Amino acid sequence: QVHLVESGGALVQPGGSLRLSCAASGSAFSSYFMGWYRQAPGKQREFVAGIRNGAKNYADSVKGRFTVSRDNTKNTVYLDMISLKPEDTGVYYCNAARYPNEYWGQGTQVTVSS
């Protein structure tokens, strides 16, 4: 069982930056694929970024602006976001996956608006 808690969401102006954190409890954190997803109002949840064993991947819409990283000593995964746009607005969810299990956090709100 893995329990995930996201933090760091906020209201930020366009062009601003933000760091999201996701703290995980449970064992074998380093063996999990850790991902960030987001859901905008009225839209489906979408993949944003993921990391496992040092390999990272990103949605095309965030490449060059978002960076995913993890600290296995702290059981934490981060999402650094720069050059934020209004279309980045949404609830950001942390995901931990290791076959056959998958876990989600409760989400943290990011609003990009002037």
Side-chain angles (χ1 to χ4, degrees):
Q1 187 77 13
V2 176
H3 183 59
L4 304 171
V5 179
E6 302 97 333
S7 61
L11 170 64
V12 62
Q13 292 187 342
S17 60
L18 210 56
R19 167 174 261 204
L20 304 183
S21 300
C22 172
S25 63
S27 60
F29 172 78
S30 62
S31 68
Y32 281 81
F33 171 86
M34 297 301 297
W36 286 97
Y37 293 74
R38 66 187 180 190
Q39 187 166 18
K43 295 187 177 181
Q44 289 188 334
R45 191 174 298 187
E46 64 175 359
F47 173 78
V48 174
I51 182 170
R52 181 177 182 180
N53 294 335
K56 304 178 183 182
N57 55 318
Y58 300 92
D60 288 344
S61 60
V62 307
K63 283 181 181 176
R65 300 188 299 120
F66 290 12
T67 302
V68 62
S69 61
R70 67 193 295 167
D71 185 339
N72 290 333
T73 66
K74 296 181 179 179
N75 280 17
T76 302
V77 63
Y78 305 97
L79 185 67
D80 289 295
M81 307 182 291
I82 64 170
S83 302
L84 283 161
K85 305 174 181 180
E87 51 264 43
D88 294 318
T89 294
V91 179
Y92 282 68
Y93 297 91
C94 181
N95 171 271
R98 186 182 70 182
Y99 184 82
N101 300 309
E102 186 176 38
Y103 305 94
W104 293 91
Q106 84 290 347
T108 186
Q109 176 71 45
V110 172
T111 302
V112 184
S113 175
S114 55

